């Protein structure tokens, strides 16, 4: 419901000038969305429902892929240290944000919806939003479960030996 409100609002705002008539479709949807959200917060998870799925670790998985890319040994150790410290994941989040901003700005200007200057402002906000969402999602996933619990993480990211038989 909240998504349909936002979609209606943003579509009307993107395709035409400001007019209050485009706000009318969200009036009956917003109270329903608020009531459902409040009920879910108060009630919590229903009894008998399965546990939620483990969090997606988009940045950690992307960092794993980067550490597997063929590169010189000196670079590989630096990339693994960056992945272990979280710097590589932060860099990947910034790259994803810049990519989203660039694509959005190019699409907005090419379609004629916006002039280049306002499109740059909106694209900057979108890029910052994408970066922030990725970093907050990673922080919450790390708080919910430690990265060592993920079985397919490389040894450099789990602080374990590369081979199981190498343990003391």
């Amino acid at each position: 419901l909240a998504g349909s409100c936002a979609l209606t609002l943003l579509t009307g705002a993107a395709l035409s000038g400001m007019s209050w008539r485009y706000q009318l479709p969200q009036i009956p949807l917003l109270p329903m969305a608020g009531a459902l959200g409040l009920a879910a917060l108060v009630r919590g998870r229903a009894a008998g429902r399965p546990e939620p799925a483990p969090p997606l670790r988009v940045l950690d998985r992307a960092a794993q892929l980067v550490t597997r890319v063929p590169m010189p040994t000196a670079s590989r150790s630096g990339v693994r240290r960056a992945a272990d410290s979280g710097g590589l994941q932060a860099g990947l989040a910034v790259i994803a944000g810049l990519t989203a901003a660039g694509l959005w700005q190019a699409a907005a200007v090419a379609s004629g919806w916006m002039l280049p200057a306002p499109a740059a402002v909106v694209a900057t906000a979108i890029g910052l939003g994408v970066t922030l969402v990725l970093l907050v999602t990673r922080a919450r996933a790390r708080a919910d479960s430690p990265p060592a619990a993920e079985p397919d993480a490389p040894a450099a990211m789990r602080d374990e030996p590369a081979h199981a038989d190498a343990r003391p």
Side-chain angles (χ1 to χ4, degrees):
L1 291 175
S4 62
C5 291
L7 183 64
T8 303
L9 175 69
L10 294 176
T11 303
L15 296 177
S16 66
M18 174 57 185
S19 175
W20 286 107
R21 66 182 173 172
Y22 296 117
Q23 311 307 314
L24 294 177
Q26 69 181 334
I27 291 174
L29 297 174
L30 281 175
M32 288 188 286
L36 286 172
L38 183 62
L41 287 174
V42 170
R43 187 178 50 222
R45 193 168 48 90
R49 300 280 303 196
E51 288 292 323
L56 294 175
R57 298 177 177 272
V58 176
L59 290 176
D60 290 331
R61 291 185 189 267
Q64 289 174 12
L65 291 174
V66 171
T67 59
R68 293 180 187 157
V69 171
M71 62 183 82
T73 306
S75 298
R76 181 173 305 280
S77 64
V79 168
R80 284 191 178 151
R81 278 195 309 274
D84 290 340
S85 69
L88 180 60
Q89 290 87 337
L92 290 171
V94 169
I95 290 170
L98 289 172
T99 302
L103 289 174
W104 195 93
Q105 183 177 9
V109 172
S111 68
W113 280 4
M114 300 184 89
L115 295 173
V121 172
V122 174
T124 301
I126 288 173
L128 289 173
V130 167
T131 303
L132 184 65
V133 165
L134 287 171
L135 291 175
V136 168
T137 302
R138 180 176 186 267
R140 286 187 176 177
R142 288 177 55 86
D144 289 345
S145 61
E150 189 171 327
D152 58 344
M157 295 179 74
R158 285 184 292 168
D159 297 329
E160 295 179 6
H163 302 286
D165 56 340
R167 293 183 186 181

